[in-house]
Amino acid sequence: MWRTIILAAVGLAAIAYIYTVLRARKLGFIKRTAEDHRLLAWLLAIAVPGLFVFPFLAVSVFAAVTSLLHLFFVWLICDLAALIVLAVRRAKREKYLAGYVAMIITAVILVLAWNNAHDVRRTYYSIQTESDSRETREVYEPFRAVLIADSHIGVTLDGEAFAREMERVQTEEPDAVFICGDFVDDGTTKEDMLAACEALGRLKTTDGVFYVYGNHDNGYYRTRNFSAQELRQALTENGVVILEDEAAELTCGAVVIGRRDKSIGDRMSAKDLVDRFCKGRYV
């Protein structure tokens, strides 16, 4: 399945690049350049989508392709909108403005997306369960849990930046920390992975740090410089509890169940896990 998706993405990216180059060729300053320097005009047209692709290659090929596809679809929409406007007004195109508008809109989208990917925000939830009877509250103190998911170390935050975020987490004085998948990515370096695992190991909690695998944690393409086993070893050496179709009891009286990720292999159903570990208790 993933091979098909990758091939489709490569094909679409090729179409996107050809389309944006051909449309960039119609931009005013490139058309004027073509009057005296035809080859230079084509080079400028080729460079236009490159401005949106090459900066993201420093992050990953996936990020570069994503940027190109954003430019392609926005440009396509702008071209269609321009055609509709001209048809309604029954006018002829005097200047090709759709391309400029498409580039500006795409640039704004990518800047906002980059900011959102690196802007770590705290969202607070207060949960009360049906078991919060007067008797229960007298036995158990409020339980503070921190949940982190999809950190994709290296794509968003590097190891040092992640460690700084864990210092922020520590100020919350959590009873438990849950890492819910896609902790690392295919482009994560071993150095960043180790630094992030060590940051988890420095957390001081009542119940510990719990981890479940996401589909990126084992790696799709096996191109990074550490193995899935090295990731597992780094986590366990730093005191992180890995739950794969397993459960752990918390001091608040609840049971936390970690399910094996589908990408790893056979796993129990959610119902079977609850039936096995819950036994009528809050999960």
Side-chain angles (χ1 to χ4, degrees):
M1 181 184 71
W2 282 107
R3 182 177 297 178
T4 302
I5 293 175
I6 292 171
L7 290 175
V10 170
L12 184 57
I15 293 171
Y17 208 98
I18 292 171
Y19 180 87
T20 51
V21 166
L22 293 176
R23 302 311 289 171
R25 186 67 173 73
K26 296 182 177 296
L27 295 173
F29 77 97
I30 294 181
K31 287 183 67 176
R32 290 191 295 271
T33 301
E35 294 174 1
D36 299 316
H37 305 282
R38 189 173 181 181
L39 177 59
L40 178 58
W42 277 112
L43 292 176
L44 289 173
I46 291 171
V48 167
L51 293 173
F52 293 83
V53 173
F54 294 116
F56 286 92
L57 281 174
V59 180
S60 69
V61 173
F62 175 79
V65 171
T66 300
S67 174
L68 175 61
L69 293 181
H70 274 76
L71 177 64
F72 168 60
F73 286 115
V74 172
W75 205 318
L76 186 62
I77 291 170
C78 288
D79 277 342
L80 291 174
L83 287 175
I84 293 172
V85 170
L86 290 173
V88 171
R89 297 176 60 182
R90 296 182 180 179
K92 291 185 178 181
R93 176 184 292 153
E94 297 180 359
K95 295 181 179 180
Y96 182 54
L97 300 178
Y100 294 108
V101 174
M103 288 189 289
I104 292 171
I105 292 175
T106 304
V108 171
I109 291 173
L110 294 177
V111 168
L112 292 175
W114 181 268
N115 180 68
N116 286 336
H118 293 78
D119 181 20
V120 181
R121 302 173 187 175
R122 172 186 182 273
T123 303
Y124 179 78
Y125 299 94
S126 179
I127 301 174
Q128 289 187 330
T129 74
E130 295 179 356
S131 63
D132 280 343
S133 63
R134 179 178 177 182
E135 293 76 12
T136 302
R137 288 195 296 271
E138 289 175 352
V139 175
Y140 298 112
E141 295 294 328
F143 187 83
R144 296 173 66 85
V146 170
L147 184 146
I148 303 166
D150 296 279
S151 54
H152 293 276
I153 301 298
V155 177
T156 53
L157 305 174
D158 61 18
E160 291 184 3
F162 182 82
R164 289 194 294 271
E165 293 301 329
M166 291 307 97
E167 292 175 1
R168 290 178 58 193
V169 166
Q170 187 62 69
T171 63
E172 300 288 340
E173 299 181 353
D175 293 299
V177 174
F178 303 108
I179 312 296
C180 297
D182 287 350
F183 175 57
V184 295
D185 206 283
D186 293 278
T188 306
T189 65
K190 185 174 182 178
E191 293 74 21
D192 282 338
M193 180 272 288
L194 291 174
C197 289
E198 290 168 3
L200 294 178
R202 289 192 292 270
L203 290 172
K204 295 179 175 60
T205 66
T206 304
D207 287 5
V209 180
F210 300 91
Y211 171 91
V212 292
Y213 280 95
N215 57 346
H216 283 274
D217 290 322
N218 273 325
Y220 285 124
Y221 315 120
R222 308 295 189 266
T223 56
R224 60 194 184 197
N225 62 345
F226 64 93
S227 65
Q229 182 57 38
E230 287 176 301
L231 170 61
R232 179 184 294 272
Q233 181 179 346
L235 288 167
T236 54
E237 286 180 350
N238 284 281
V240 178
V241 178
I242 301 174
L243 297 177
E244 294 184 278
D245 285 354
E246 297 168 307
E249 185 171 346
L250 305 176
T251 55
C252 65
V255 174
V256 58
I257 297 174
R259 194 178 182 195
R260 175 178 294 168
D261 189 74
K262 186 177 180 180
S263 65
I264 297 176
D266 294 336
R267 60 178 181 171
M268 295 175 63
S269 69
K271 181 180 183 303
D272 288 342
L273 285 169
V274 172
D275 291 342
R276 179 176 179 179
F277 296 113
C278 181
K279 298 179 181 179
R281 301 172 64 185
Y282 183 72
V283 181

